């Protein structure tokens, strides 16, 4: 290793700052999964009858399914019976009704994570739903949102307050039989966020959910459901962290977005689950199904993701472009370091006429990590004049990492235009030396080059989070050269 | 300003520089000429701190400080500038962004305030005229898709912005047609001051018609074998390097 490479290693050696554990009194189910566990879970959450039926149907189907096996990923077998499917901070009485009643220990946890739940110290114009292990612990600005007609609450609460809305939309984008992990999620999901934006309403603030896994040997299975009714608009952001633990932990979420006529959802993710240590021990398995359905005419959905965490990431935020003239966008930065593996990308399903989609994917691979883009562009028979543009760039830092690109294109309509561009490049010692010779530190040089590489994606993030995302990339490049 | 004493440098086990001595005073322009493989680029790399070279003997003092003990970025901030023989491309990073970041890193080191975007734009637009470059080069990614001549002009533009104390020009004339050479030479001449020194590495006498050096040194087989005034370059051109004991390339 050259001296400049060593320097980079030292300079950007930073620990995973979110790796602490919160000591709390918790209620946790013993490990294991059967119909009784599901019934108990449903009972604890006081769910309507249709939910238990839904869960059991999913569970029965899940039992018939086989865990997928990916060509490009190395995964240790997961023992689903050794995972606990419910863990929640012990409630005092009926649970917190307002922020004043939330356990101060929890508020402190979120404060440490840079997510103040105290509305006085709020992030400017951002409402936050905080999900801790299996439950939502607090949601800010509910009042203000309610005035605008927006429903933003934990999905468990939505099942109590708006069961008809949940029943109408839940599982309509991602069926409980969709895939192995989606079926598991449907059977055991515990909490997550629910958003409903009524007709013609432009949501007055950014909405965000912050997911935190705390308990050991627990899986987090959250469910997010966002409905943008005709002519409405919402921008939503999720963030994720977890303590440093030597065991792998499973996170299998499902996100469903429904977009009606002329509505728009902008969904951003900054994912920073614990990635495991530099030897590849521990870390989160992030197996997530995210899908948006543009049901209406001229509906628009945009996924922006910055993925820096998790031992393994497996996710393909997808857009089903059902309505004529609807638009799907996918902007992604996936950074893998040390022994992290990412297999991520998107699916653009063109069904309606004049539908268009854009995919910009930036994969950065450092250390001994493997980074895979896997994407599907499918144009159906009736999707006249469908258009897709895909750009897939990979950046390698060092010479022990890998980048892979698997674009799948299926076109059944002759008027479709599908473009695909791909590049692979490497941060070289020469580039670093050049920058140093101009007076920049090696750390600043790497960060400048990586940020330059990701620029097209960062500009899609809400302002407040673009800065955070840039900082996160710097931290995640720990020991990335040599 | 710069004092090189008995400098020996290896690449791996191979000795490249075998006892180089050179003194540069403020305001002087020194030229190093020599055949291929004489160690010219090695000298420029060692002075700027590139990895992969081992100094086995000797020392280099710059402004009274031990230059070889300094990190590359510190040398740069202290005013040592290397115009690269092969400037690298940095996709995604705009030229203007790199130059502003570099200038601010230098200013910070000198205890000065950072320049803001507007002031920097005024500065850079002024300097870019000197190199007869189009303003669009500012917004393109660093050296990406630049021609050989554009890359070399861009190097001198960076020197003009960073205002170093010592400019090491590593074959800045190579790959330039005569028009580009004149522009680059004009840029270099405009940077000459009574304080600023130059170490100009070149193969050809041609460059010296436009940038007149105070001293010419011939580097052959890892040593400076002959030194003189500008007339030495003309003599070399006529007689070839074998005349001074260098091997023909």
């Amino acid at each position: 290793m050259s001296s400049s490479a060593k320097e980079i290693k030292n300079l950007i050696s930073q620990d995973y700052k979110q790796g602490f554990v919160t000591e709390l009194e918790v209620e946790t189910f013993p490990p294991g999964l059967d119909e009784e566990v599901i019934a108990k879970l449903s009972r604890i959450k006081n769910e309507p009858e249709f939910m238990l039926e839904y869960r059991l149907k999913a569970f029965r189907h899940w039992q018939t399914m086989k865990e997928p096996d990916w060509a490009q990923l190395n995964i240790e077998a997961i023992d689903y019976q050794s995972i606990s499917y419910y863990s929640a901070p012990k409630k005092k009485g009926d649970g917190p009704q307002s922020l004043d009643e939330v356990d101060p220990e929890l508020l402190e946890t979120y404060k440490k994570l840079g997510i103040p739940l105290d509305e006085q110290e709020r992030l400017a114009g951002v409402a936050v739903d905080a999900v801790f292990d299996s439950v939502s612990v607090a949601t800010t600005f509910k009042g203000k949102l309610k005035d605008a007609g927006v429903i933003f609450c934990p999905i468990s609460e939505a099942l109590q307050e708006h069961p008809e809305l949940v029943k109408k939309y839940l599982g309509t984008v991602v069926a409980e039989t969709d895939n192995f992990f989606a079926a598991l999620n449907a059977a055991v999901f515990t909490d997550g966020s629910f958003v409903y934006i009524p007709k013609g309403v432009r949501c007055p603030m950014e909405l965000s959910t912050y997911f935190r896994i705390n308990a050991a040997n627990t899986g987090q299975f959250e469910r997010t459901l966002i409905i943008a009714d005709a002519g409405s608009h919402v921008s939503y952001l999720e963030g994720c962290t977890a303590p440093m633990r030597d065991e792998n932990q499973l996170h299998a979420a499902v996100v469903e977005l429904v977009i009606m006529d002329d509505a728009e959802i902008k969904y951003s993710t900054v994912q920073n689950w614990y990635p495991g240590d530099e030897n590849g021990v521990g870390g989160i398995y992030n197996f997530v199904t995210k899908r948006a359905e543009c049901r209406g005419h001229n509906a628009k959905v945009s996924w922006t993701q910055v993925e820096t965490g998790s031992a393994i990431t497996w996710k393909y935020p997808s857009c089903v472009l059902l309505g004529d003239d609807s638009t799907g966008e996918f902007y992604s930065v996936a950074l893998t370091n040390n022994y992290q593996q990412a297999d991520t990308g998107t699916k653009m399903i063109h069904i309606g006429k004049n539908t268009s989609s854009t995919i910009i994917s930036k994969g950065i691979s450092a250390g001994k990590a493997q980074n895979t883009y896997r994407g599907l562009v499918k144009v159906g028979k009736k999707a006249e004049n469908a258009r897709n543009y895909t750009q897939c760039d990979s950046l390698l830092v060092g010479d022990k990492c890998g980048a892979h690109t698997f674009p799948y294109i299926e076109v059944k309509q002759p008027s479709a235009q599908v473009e695909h561009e791909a590049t692979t490049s490497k941060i070289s010692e020469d580039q670093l030396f050049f920058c140093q010779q101009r007076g920049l530190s090696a750390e600043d040089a790497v960060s400048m080059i990586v940020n330059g590489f990701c620029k097209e994606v960062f500009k899609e993030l809400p302002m407040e989070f673009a800065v955070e995302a840039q900082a996160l990339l710097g931290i995640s490049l720990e020991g990335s050269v040599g | 300003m710069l004092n090189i004493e008995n400098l020996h440098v290896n690449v791996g086990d191979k000795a490249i520089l075998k006892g180089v001595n050179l003194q540069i005073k403020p305001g002087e322009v020194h030229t190093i000429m020599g055949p291929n493989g004489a160690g010219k680029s090695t000298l420029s790399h060692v002075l700027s701190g590139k990895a992969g070279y081992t100094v086995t003997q000797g020392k280099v003092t710059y402004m009274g400080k031990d230059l070889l003990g300094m990190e590359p970025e510190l040398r740069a901030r202290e005013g040592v500038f290397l115009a690269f023989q092969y400037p690298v491309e940095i996709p995604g990073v705009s030229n203007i962004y790199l130059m502003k970041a570099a200038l601010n890193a230098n200013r910070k080191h000198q205890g000065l305030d950072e320049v803001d975007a507007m002031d920097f734009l005024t500065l850079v637009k002024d300097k870019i005229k000197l190199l007869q470059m189009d303003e669009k080069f500012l917004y393109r990614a660093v050296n990406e898709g630049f021609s050989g001549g554009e890359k070399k002009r861009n190097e001198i533009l960076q020197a003009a912005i960073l205002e170093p104390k010592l400019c090491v020009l590593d074959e800045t004339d190579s790959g330039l047609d005569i028009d580009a050479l004149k522009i680059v030479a004009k840029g270099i001449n405009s940077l000459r001051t009574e304080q600023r020194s130059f170490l100009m590495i070149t193969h050809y006498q041609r460059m010296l018609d436009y940038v007149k050096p105070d001293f010419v040194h011939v580097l052959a087989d890892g040593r400076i074998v002959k030194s003189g005034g500008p007339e030495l370059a003309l003599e070399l051109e006529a007689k070839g390097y074998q005349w001074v004991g260098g091997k023909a390339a």
Side-chain angles (χ1 to χ4, degrees):
Chain A
M1 189 160 66
S2 70
S3 66
S4 68
K6 254 184 226 149
E7 188 168 86
I8 294 159
K9 196 175 163 79
N10 295 335
L11 276 171
I12 53 185
S13 273
Q14 290 194 51
D15 292 333
Y16 182 75
K17 285 182 186 152
Q18 295 83 3
F20 61 90
V21 178
T22 309
E23 297 296 340
L24 280 170
E25 261 198 273
V26 291
E27 180 179 8
T28 305
F29 282 10
L33 182 60
D34 55 27
E35 296 200 3
E36 241 170 79
V37 168
I38 292 168
K40 192 174 159 196
L41 197 144
S42 189
R43 200 160 55 241
I44 276 191
K45 297 192 145 305
N46 193 28
E47 290 178 345
E49 187 59 28
F50 79 87
M51 270 312 300
L52 180 61
E53 283 166 27
Y54 178 80
R55 290 177 181 281
L56 290 175
K57 200 175 143 203
F59 179 67
R60 284 164 198 155
H61 189 80
W62 178 73
Q63 285 175 308
T64 67
M65 296 173 98
K66 241 189 99 197
E67 195 176 2
D69 179 23
W70 294 281
Q72 215 50 45
L73 295 178
N74 286 315
I75 304 175
E76 294 228 359
I78 302 167
D79 178 1
Y80 294 92
Q81 294 302 335
S82 72
I83 298 171
S84 164
Y85 289 83
Y86 184 82
S87 177
K90 262 199 183 143
K91 284 183 183 175
K92 291 163 187 154
D94 280 343
Q97 295 303 311
S98 76
L99 282 172
D100 305 340
E101 294 168 49
V102 175
D103 189 329
E105 196 66 39
L106 277 173
L107 291 178
E108 191 53 38
T109 299
Y110 281 90
K111 205 170 167 179
K112 258 164 110 175
L113 295 167
I115 313 288
L117 297 177
D118 181 342
E119 290 189 13
Q120 302 305 316
E121 298 179 44
R122 66 190 186 269
L123 286 154
V126 181
V128 180
D129 182 19
V131 177
F132 192 86
D133 288 331
S134 303
V135 292
S136 170
V137 291
T139 310
T140 61
F141 292 109
K142 268 163 125 172
K144 191 175 172 192
L145 291 166
K146 205 175 168 188
D147 292 343
V150 172
I151 303 171
F152 177 44
C153 66
I155 200 160
S156 55
E157 192 181 310
L159 275 164
Q160 308 298 320
E161 311 280 327
H162 313 280
E164 70 301 335
L165 271 178
V166 179
K167 192 176 179 182
K168 185 174 171 192
Y169 292 104
L170 185 76
T172 61
V173 180
V174 178
E176 68 279 6
T177 52
D178 190 88
N179 67 66
F180 186 83
F181 294 105
L184 180 62
N185 175 286
V188 302
F189 78 81
T190 43
D191 221 332
S193 297
F194 176 83
V195 179
Y196 176 79
I197 316 288
K199 278 181 187 159
V201 170
R202 204 181 162 86
C203 186
M205 51 183 23
E206 301 269 347
L207 304 183
S208 86
T209 302
Y210 198 92
F211 296 102
R212 173 77 176 168
I213 296 179
N214 187 61
N217 298 318
T218 313
Q220 192 180 52
F221 305 92
E222 92 269 354
R223 187 96 185 181
T224 300
L225 176 57
I226 303 178
I227 302 124
D229 217 328
S232 70
H233 177 281
V234 63
S235 170
Y236 176 92
L237 183 124
E238 60 173 359
C240 330
T241 58
M244 295 157 74
R245 297 192 188 278
D246 287 344
E247 310 83 38
N248 294 111
Q249 281 182 282
L250 179 62
H251 172 256
V254 172
V255 175
E256 296 179 280
L257 311 184
V258 178
I259 308 108
M260 308 308 283
D261 286 345
D262 303 308
E264 178 176 0
I265 296 180
K266 203 173 155 49
Y267 192 105
S268 313
T269 304
V270 175
Q271 187 262 108
N272 186 26
W273 293 120
Y274 176 54
D277 67 12
E278 69 274 17
N279 299 314
V281 175
I284 303 290
Y285 286 168
N286 188 34
F287 300 153
V288 174
T289 306
K290 291 182 167 177
R291 198 172 302 155
E293 209 165 275
C294 288
R295 290 196 184 156
H297 175 260
N298 196 31
K300 185 176 176 188
V301 63
S302 173
W303 298 101
T304 305
Q305 58 172 24
V306 177
E307 304 275 326
T308 60
S310 298
I312 301 175
T313 295
W314 174 88
K315 68 181 257 200
Y316 315 92
S318 308
C319 303
V320 180
L321 305 171
L322 212 55
D324 292 349
D325 299 298
S326 55
T327 307
E329 293 172 343
F330 175 74
Y331 301 99
S332 168
V333 167
L335 184 149
T336 48
N337 194 5
N338 297 322
Y339 285 88
Q340 278 178 277
Q341 305 175 69
D343 194 311
T344 185
T346 184
K347 293 178 193 170
M348 293 291 175
I349 317 290
H350 294 257
I351 298 169
K353 288 174 191 142
N354 305 317
T355 47
S356 69
S357 61
T358 305
I359 300 171
I360 308 281
S361 163
K362 305 278 182 177
I364 301 145
S365 206
K368 298 186 173 86
Q370 297 294 327
N371 203 319
T372 301
Y373 168 82
R374 191 185 300 275
L376 169 69
V377 177
K378 194 170 179 174
V379 180
K381 268 184 198 151
K382 290 175 184 161
E384 284 166 30
N385 300 316
R387 293 208 55 164
N388 162 265
Y389 172 74
T390 301
Q391 184 190 330
C392 229
D393 299 324
S394 308
L395 183 68
L396 301 172
V397 185
D399 53 13
K400 293 182 183 69
C401 51
H404 315 273
T405 303
F406 301 103
Y408 302 80
I409 298 172
E410 292 172 28
V411 179
K412 291 190 175 124
Q413 161 58 242
S415 64
Q417 282 184 45
V418 178
E419 294 173 63
H420 182 93
E421 284 182 26
T423 65
T424 303
S425 54
K426 190 169 181 270
I427 296 188
S428 66
E429 294 269 314
D430 282 349
Q431 284 173 327
L432 288 180
F433 177 63
F434 180 84
C435 294
Q436 284 177 285
Q437 214 302 305
R438 294 299 178 256
L440 298 172
S441 67
E443 181 190 34
D444 289 346
V446 170
S447 159
M448 181 177 78
I449 294 169
V450 170
N451 276 304
F453 178 75
C454 302
K455 203 160 53 185
E456 286 159 283
V457 173
F458 285 162
K459 73 178 196 312
E460 297 297 329
L461 282 175
M463 265 292 273
E464 297 88 331
F465 299 103
V467 179
E468 189 188 322
Q470 290 191 18
L472 194 56
L473 277 195
I475 292 164
S476 304
L477 281 164
E478 170 189 339
S480 59
V481 177
Chain B
M1 168 178 282
L2 184 75
N3 196 6
I4 304 174
E5 279 176 65
N6 192 30
L7 184 65
H8 286 68
V9 174
N10 280 17
V11 173
D13 292 334
K14 194 170 179 234
I16 307 290
L17 297 183
K18 302 167 184 170
V20 172
N21 290 289
L22 183 65
Q23 260 196 25
I24 301 179
K25 296 199 176 89
E28 290 178 351
V29 176
H30 290 246
T31 292
I32 292 192
M33 303 181 77
N36 288 328
K40 300 191 300 297
S41 284
T42 297
L43 181 61
S44 73
H45 290 157
V46 170
L47 291 178
S48 53
K50 189 173 179 171
Y53 300 91
T54 317
V55 175
T56 54
Q57 265 190 70
K59 63 176 185 179
V60 180
T61 322
Y62 167 75
M63 309 287 288
K65 291 178 191 160
D66 171 25
L67 184 71
L68 302 179
M70 291 155 80
E71 293 300 323
E73 61 267 36
L74 192 57
R75 299 183 198 196
R77 292 172 198 163
E78 289 279 331
V80 178
F81 181 92
L82 172 66
F84 285 77
Q85 184 180 2
Y86 304 110
V88 295
E89 301 183 358
I90 310 179
V93 177
S94 73
N95 215 10
I96 191 165
Y97 185 88
L98 170 81
M99 289 191 280
K100 181 164 167 272
L103 179 62
N104 282 333
N106 283 286
R107 288 178 66 91
K108 202 174 155 195
H109 181 69
Q110 290 152 19
L112 300 169
D113 286 342
E114 298 195 349
V115 281
D116 65 31
M118 285 315 290
D119 289 345
F120 183 73
L121 196 61
T122 312
L123 171 74
V124 78
K125 280 187 173 175
D126 182 44
K127 303 283 186 192
I128 202 167
K129 279 185 215 141
L130 197 73
L131 278 308
Q132 297 177 32
M133 287 167 79
D134 194 291
E135 277 178 26
K136 69 173 193 247
F137 283 103
L138 295 175
Y139 303 100
R140 284 175 48 183
V142 177
N143 293 321
E144 200 179 40
F146 287 28
S147 72
E150 286 160 355
K151 283 181 183 173
K152 295 297 176 76
R153 276 193 257 175
N154 202 30
E155 292 291 288
I156 304 303
L157 174 65
Q158 287 163 38
I161 284 161
L162 297 176
E163 302 191 322
K165 296 189 176 79
L166 172 69
C167 290
V168 181
L169 309 175
D170 191 1
E171 299 200 20
T172 297
D173 56 334
S174 68
L176 295 184
D177 62 33
I178 193 70
D179 294 333
L181 180 68
K182 282 181 185 167
I183 294 167
V184 166
K186 198 177 134 202
I188 294 170
N189 284 325
S190 77
L191 290 175
R192 288 178 73 163
T193 67
E194 283 185 14
Q195 306 306 321
R196 186 173 294 137
S197 311
F198 290 81
L199 180 62
M200 203 159 68
I201 292 166
T202 182
H203 269 299
Y204 305 108
Q205 200 275 330
R206 190 178 68 158
M207 177 73 159
L208 310 186
D209 290 341
Y210 301 99
V211 181
K212 208 169 154 40
D214 300 307
F215 301 95
V216 174
H217 310 278
V218 180
L219 186 70
D221 195 25
R223 290 183 195 90
I224 290 182
V225 292
K226 201 166 179 65
S227 297
E231 71 288 348
L232 178 58
L234 293 168
E235 219 172 331
L236 270 175
E237 184 90 343
K239 298 183 181 169
Y241 287 120
Q242 277 166 335
W243 167 62
V244 289
K247 293 172 212 145

